[in-house]
Amino acid sequence: MKTVLIISYYFPPSGGAGVQRVPKFVKYLPGFGWQPVVLTVSEDADFPARDESLRGEIPKGTRIVRTPIFEPYRIYRKLTGKAEGTAIDIATNTRGKRRSPGEAVSEWARSTFFIPDARCFWRKPAVRAGMEIIGDEKIDLIFSSAPPYTCHVIARDLKRRTGLPWAADFRDSWVGWLSAPKRWFLPRRIDAGLEGSVLSLADGLIAVSDGVKEDLVSRHPEAEKRRWTTIPNGFDNADFEGLVPKADPDRFVLTYTGSLYGKRNPLVLLEALRSLLSEKPRLRNKMLLRFVGRADSSYLDAFRGLGGAVETVPYVSHRESLQFLMDSSALLLIIDDAPASRSIATGKLYEYAGARKPILALAPEGAAADVVRSLDAGVVVPPGDVNAIRKALESLVDRWEKHSLCAHSGAGRTGQYERKHLTGRLAEWFDGLAP
């Protein structure tokens, strides 16, 4: 059995969509000949969400090393008057919104001093702990997953000190990405230098999508020649075991799970729903649009304008979110209508596919739309087209009333996105880096 040192900030009890990838790798890697040792932050870190139930994902006996971290977002809350525990993370990036003076100053500090990100203060203690782990264990490979990109900088430092093979996993791209702060030229140049050093020193590079790879290579053309693989996000069949669908036979329920901030917003959908209910008031008691997770306060106000046709549910555990999927008639996917978004497929999409429910995808042409169509998993509609969205909603409800709305016909093709299968691909790739 070979041993891999896994460096990840997001790890249980951290919750949210971004945390799923690494714990699933940790869960299944031993079955493919790789024993993980995890280097992560202390449990009191400033996670944007917490989910205690995810601890059960980690196999007993897995060594987990947690180190302290100074979290500047706690200072940010004091400067902006936000309550303790308020989520401050990349998912809540609202660039372009009017900000208070405290928020403006904090954003300037973040873009100027926190390079590559606000987790940069974890670097020194993590490198020390990593060297101790490497001294204690027979580590065959280093694996880091980002964001936050500090994880890659830590792995780079360990690579330089030990010469061990290193695989860098990009769940998002880096400089100038959708959630990145808008830096002025000097900090941007430093950030780009860190990005370039990671791409040049890592023995292997993993991208969650071809679009992420293409964005990185666009700034560092020499990285095209590096050893790359694409391993998308996925779903775990085991997560759905024991979940019994409890769909309301008298109501069409369309569910969205996850965060709603910035350009990822439901306002056009709400306009389409309002138009449909105005013309066909009989549907008012037959339709429910359900949003599960964290949302911008302005969107919550918009939801209230539709009364009982819209329901909001605060952040819940991963298991509970899957139950909401199973209890739905159809599932809602919203992809930002931005150039970078066209090249990525959000992790939520694969769990939707795992739930075997029809998907209404408000998405531009690109990776997410391609996945939905390749699985024959639902309908894709331009995210800004009110009339097209309204027609799609009406069609879904009509099929539901006729009892012809059922599991998508591409269910048999979803196996390629099963977490165990994806981990097997990762392990095989590891074998090539550390024979």
Side-chain angles (χ1 to χ4, degrees):
M1 177 89 63
K2 296 177 182 178
T3 305
V4 55
L5 172 61
I6 293 181
I7 302 170
S8 178
Y9 175 89
Y10 293 112
F11 199 76
S14 173
V19 76
Q20 296 292 322
R21 185 173 174 91
V22 170
K24 295 297 184 181
F25 286 154
V26 171
K27 176 181 179 180
Y28 288 116
L29 274 171
F32 295 98
W34 284 88
Q35 179 60 49
V37 176
V38 180
L39 174 58
T40 188
V41 292
S42 57
E43 294 193 9
D44 63 351
D46 197 29
F47 300 130
R50 298 179 72 90
D51 186 347
E52 296 292 335
S53 69
L54 294 180
R55 294 180 189 271
E57 291 290 316
I58 311 306
K60 292 182 179 179
T62 302
R63 184 181 178 189
I64 303 172
V65 178
R66 300 183 181 273
T67 64
I69 179 174
F70 168 68
E71 297 274 24
Y73 282 146
R74 288 178 173 141
I75 298 175
Y76 172 86
R77 289 193 185 88
K78 292 181 180 179
L79 289 174
T80 58
K82 296 182 183 294
E84 182 67 27
T86 302
I88 307 293
D89 67 312
I90 60 173
T92 65
N93 185 291
T94 53
R95 186 188 299 171
K97 290 187 66 175
R98 189 170 184 175
R99 295 170 295 178
S100 69
E103 288 174 325
V105 170
S106 298
E107 182 64 18
W108 176 83
R110 176 193 177 209
S111 64
T112 301
F113 301 113
F114 299 157
I115 306 173
D117 47 56
R119 317 299 184 186
C120 57
F121 300 100
W122 186 40
R123 179 178 172 183
K124 287 186 177 180
V127 170
R128 285 196 299 269
M131 290 302 296
E132 291 176 3
I133 294 169
I134 292 169
D136 293 342
E137 307 273 356
K138 185 183 179 302
I139 299 296
D140 297 285
L141 178 77
I142 299 169
F143 171 83
S144 55
S145 185
Y149 306 100
T150 293
C151 294
H152 286 335
V153 178
I154 293 165
R156 183 203 63 175
D157 291 350
L158 294 173
K159 163 72 177 179
R160 284 174 168 171
R161 294 188 185 193
T162 66
L164 286 168
W166 163 37
D169 176 47
F170 287 89
R171 304 191 312 276
D172 284 330
S173 188
W174 189 331
V175 175
W177 197 241
L178 290 169
S179 55
K182 190 174 182 179
R183 304 188 192 275
W184 53 284
F185 79 94
L186 183 57
R188 181 182 174 91
R189 186 171 181 178
I190 295 171
D191 200 25
L194 287 174
E195 179 185 65
S197 70
V198 167
L199 293 175
S200 64
L201 286 175
D203 298 276
L205 298 163
I206 306 165
V208 75
S209 70
D210 291 338
V212 167
K213 174 189 172 181
E214 290 165 5
D215 187 72
L216 290 164
V217 170
S218 70
R219 290 184 297 280
H220 307 276
E222 69 283 358
E224 174 70 37
K225 299 178 182 179
R226 305 294 292 168
R227 186 170 183 172
W228 285 91
T229 190
T230 300
I231 298 180
N233 284 313
F235 69 95
D236 191 346
N237 273 325
D239 291 343
F240 291 91
E241 292 178 0
L243 296 181
V244 179
K246 303 172 185 174
D248 186 342
D250 301 317
R251 206 169 195 189
F252 171 83
V253 180
L254 179 65
T255 297
Y256 175 94
T257 60
S259 299
L260 287 171
Y261 290 95
K263 292 182 179 180
R264 184 180 303 171
N265 73 74
L267 299 182
V268 177
L269 171 69
L270 296 183
E271 184 180 347
L273 178 60
R274 188 178 293 109
S275 173
L276 177 60
L277 295 180
S278 176
E279 183 173 322
K280 297 188 174 184
R282 72 175 185 83
L283 296 179
R284 187 169 295 275
N285 295 322
K286 287 191 173 186
M287 292 184 66
L288 176 65
L289 185 57
R290 175 183 287 149
F291 292 92
V292 181
R294 296 172 293 145
D296 187 283
S297 58
S298 63
Y299 301 153
L300 294 176
D301 292 338
F303 295 154
R304 297 186 187 100
L306 279 161
V310 178
E311 177 184 67
T312 60
V313 180
Y315 179 83
V316 298
S317 71
H318 182 239
R319 179 81 171 175
E320 290 173 297
S321 73
L322 295 183
Q323 184 66 63
F324 276 112
L325 299 185
M326 300 303 293
D327 294 346
S328 304
S329 310
L331 307 176
L332 173 65
L333 181 72
I334 302 176
I335 301 292
D336 309 358
D337 193 7
S341 297
R342 295 168 191 164
S343 62
I344 60 175
T346 176
K348 177 191 302 84
L349 169 56
Y350 301 104
E351 289 207 324
Y352 282 10
R356 311 302 204 265
K357 298 282 183 174
I359 298 171
L360 171 59
L362 311 187
E365 291 300 316
D370 291 344
V371 171
V372 172
R373 292 188 180 115
S374 70
L375 296 175
D376 196 18
V379 59
V380 179
V381 183
D385 192 330
V386 176
N387 289 331
I389 295 172
R390 174 185 160 166
K391 288 179 181 178
L393 282 172
E394 191 171 7
S395 174
L396 286 169
V397 176
D398 181 63
R399 289 165 56 196
W400 170 78
E401 288 184 316
K402 295 177 179 177
H403 304 287
S404 63
L405 191 63
C406 54
H408 57 77
S409 60
R413 298 194 291 275
T414 60
Q416 62 186 305
Y417 300 118
E418 216 282 327
R419 294 283 190 183
K420 187 174 183 179
H421 170 75
L422 294 170
T423 305
R425 285 178 49 194
L426 179 68
E428 185 177 0
W429 197 68
F430 280 179
D431 290 338
L433 292 177

